[in-house]
Amino acid sequence: MTTRSFQNHLFGGACALLVTACGGGGSTGTNFIPSPVVTPSPTPTPTPTPTPTPTPSGPIPPPHIGLVSTAPFAVLGVGDTFTTDLSGGHITAVAGPSAANLQFSYDPSANSYSISIPGFEQGTVTNTSYNGTDGQIATSSFNRVTAGASNSVQDLSVFLVVPGSQFSPYTYTSFGQWTGTTGKAANGGILRSEGSFAYGIPTKAGEVPITGSATYLADIRGSTETPGFSLVTGNASLTFDFGAGKLSGFMHPRIQDDWDGIFVDYGQYDFTQTVYSTGSTTFSGKFMVPGLPGADSSFQGNFTGPNAPELMGRFQAPYVVDGYPGMIAGTWIGKKQ
């Protein structure tokens, strides 16, 4: 993002030259020779330089930083904990990514959001700053969270993607992340927490189709057991036979860094042991983990929006890449095709 300022200067000037001359007479009489008349040059009028319209500084705040609902959102999150030294170095994992119980809601009377994250006080989202392109609607926001109903803020930051933006092209579901400090660890280091979550306006009972079938294509947002948000992305596909009450599909997580070219492909995780019944607003299942047959894993999710046009989910699964095992966890948001 670039902020540019403009200054205008008007320069002008004028000068005039007045020349006079006179002469004398002879012995036979007086002869008068008039001085030549010189007309002063007019002072030029400077042409004003148009003042350019200044470029707006920073992205334009959106009407809302998140979804809007009079009822609490459905929220599915995963998080991990780790320690660092005072400068943020010497990162040591304490607990790998696992399911986290979050609450998130919107208060229309105050146009504010409240969030509850494990290890922190429930508080109001505040001190908002925006990310995006100068002069355009912001695509995300960076926020702090108050300590309860007070005006003081916790050492907790929440990142929210603006619904409907290029990074969250959904209507009833959206992504968020958090990072913060929960206290001191037993080893004298700083105990920290981080995670990601999906939230949405849940589909009401009776609104899920009970005939036909549909496929939902979803985006993945997750992390590995290595602290520091090694962002796991990728895609998932979920196919529902609404009439028969069946679910099939897969997810394909990856890590891709466009800056230095690092790319990790975890392979395709096909669904197995799925649980879904006709008319249900929720679903769950396990994965066939590539290279680790029989390994424990899980996912669960629910539909969002009227008549189930979108969905969200949460997953946990092990992996093995180049002989090295580990754990990934994250969330999905998908839309009916």
Side-chain angles (χ1 to χ4, degrees):
M1 297 178 286
T2 302
T3 304
R4 293 178 292 181
S5 61
F6 299 92
Q7 295 180 326
N8 297 305
H9 302 276
L10 296 179
F11 299 92
C15 64
L17 178 63
L18 180 61
V19 179
T20 59
C22 60
S27 58
T28 59
T30 303
N31 294 319
F32 177 73
I33 301 176
S35 300
V37 177
V38 179
T39 303
S41 299
T43 302
T45 301
T47 302
T49 303
T51 302
T53 302
T55 301
S57 177
I60 301 171
H64 304 284
I65 60 175
L67 297 171
V68 174
S69 174
T70 55
F73 300 112
V75 186
L76 294 173
V78 296
D80 61 81
T81 56
F82 59 100
T83 61
T84 69
D85 58 22
L86 294 176
S87 65
H90 294 89
I91 298 175
T92 303
V94 174
S98 60
N101 183 24
L102 282 75
Q103 295 178 346
F104 191 46
S105 61
Y106 172 72
D107 181 355
S109 63
N111 188 28
S112 64
Y113 294 84
S114 175
I115 192 165
S116 174
I117 297 174
F120 302 92
E121 288 187 61
Q122 180 172 348
T124 301
V125 174
T126 187
N127 292 14
T128 299
S129 60
Y130 300 97
N131 305 305
T133 303
D134 288 357
Q136 297 184 18
I137 298 294
T139 54
S140 60
S141 67
F142 185 80
N143 313 272
R144 301 298 296 275
V145 180
T146 65
S150 71
N151 292 325
S152 63
V153 295
Q154 304 175 71
D155 188 358
L156 171 62
S157 300
V158 174
F159 173 85
L160 295 174
V161 179
V162 174
S165 69
Q166 59 179 315
F167 300 110
S168 185
Y170 305 99
T171 304
Y172 305 102
T173 330
S174 195
F175 286 113
Q177 293 178 340
W178 84 85
T179 181
T181 300
T182 58
K184 289 187 177 181
N187 62 4
I190 305 300
L191 187 61
R192 304 183 187 275
S193 168
E194 66 181 6
S196 61
F197 60 94
Y199 71 99
I201 301 171
T203 300
K204 297 178 181 179
E207 290 187 344
V208 178
I210 57 175
T211 59
S213 61
T215 295
Y216 294 73
L217 297 184
D219 293 320
I220 296 173
R221 295 291 184 275
S223 60
T224 71
E225 62 185 358
T226 302
F229 269 121
S230 298
L231 182 62
V232 175
T233 60
N235 62 287
S237 176
L238 299 87
T239 298
F240 293 87
D241 185 331
F242 293 121
K246 294 181 179 180
L247 167 62
S248 60
F250 66 87
M251 76 166 181
H252 196 151
R254 307 173 180 87
I255 294 179
Q256 184 172 357
D257 190 327
D258 293 332
W259 292 100
D260 54 21
I262 297 174
F263 181 83
V264 178
D265 190 337
Y266 293 102
Q268 181 166 304
Y269 287 65
D270 293 319
F271 293 176
T272 185
Q273 300 180 48
T274 57
V275 178
Y276 173 69
S277 59
T278 299
S280 176
T281 60
T282 62
F283 53 88
S284 61
K286 297 180 180 293
F287 300 106
M288 298 176 62
V289 180
L292 295 172
D296 189 29
S297 61
S298 66
F299 70 86
Q300 56 275 155
N302 57 270
F303 295 104
T304 54
N307 303 313
E310 296 175 5
L311 57 73
M312 66 184 198
R314 170 174 61 195
F315 69 89
Q316 296 172 256
Y319 69 84
V320 57
V321 175
D322 297 331
Y324 294 95
M327 179 70 68
I328 56 175
T331 56
W332 302 326
I333 293 182
K335 181 182 295 187
K336 183 187 292 186
Q337 301 304 293

